[in-house]
Amino acid sequence: MIEPTAGQTTLTLYEYVNPDALEDIVTASAEKKSDVEVRFTVVDYLVTVRSNNTILIYEPLGAHRSTSEKPCLAS
């Protein structure tokens, strides 16, 4: 989960990417049976959306985290 930046009360995907366009890309890829991966940043987090309905969220490189932790998965 991404916590809002200091002073920010909400974090909206619309501020970073057009969700309808993203969905169109993933849907078109699935219909053509070709893989696609779209990457973008939200604050300092890297978000990767794959055509197999996998969403990966990576913490910023400088973030403190245990070496046993893996990227956050969402679907």
Side-chain angles (χ1 to χ4, degrees), residues 2-68:
I2 298 174
E3 293 182 22
T5 305
Q8 195 174 17
T9 56
T10 60
L11 187 62
T12 305
L13 184 61
Y14 293 101
E15 296 174 24
Y16 299 91
V17 67
N18 180 329
D20 294 330
L22 182 59
E23 183 177 359
D24 289 346
I25 291 168
V26 172
T27 300
S29 172
E31 289 171 357
K32 294 178 182 179
K33 303 210 184 305
S34 64
D35 294 327
V36 70
E37 181 174 284
V38 178
R39 295 179 182 189
F40 54 94
T41 57
V42 175
V43 185
D44 290 327
Y45 291 81
L46 173 64
V47 179
T48 302
V49 178
R50 296 182 177 157
S51 55
N52 66 356
N53 294 319
T54 301
I55 300 171
L56 303 168
I57 302 171
Y58 296 92
E59 289 187 26
L61 290 176
H64 297 293
R65 59 188 255 194
S66 159
T67 56
S68 63

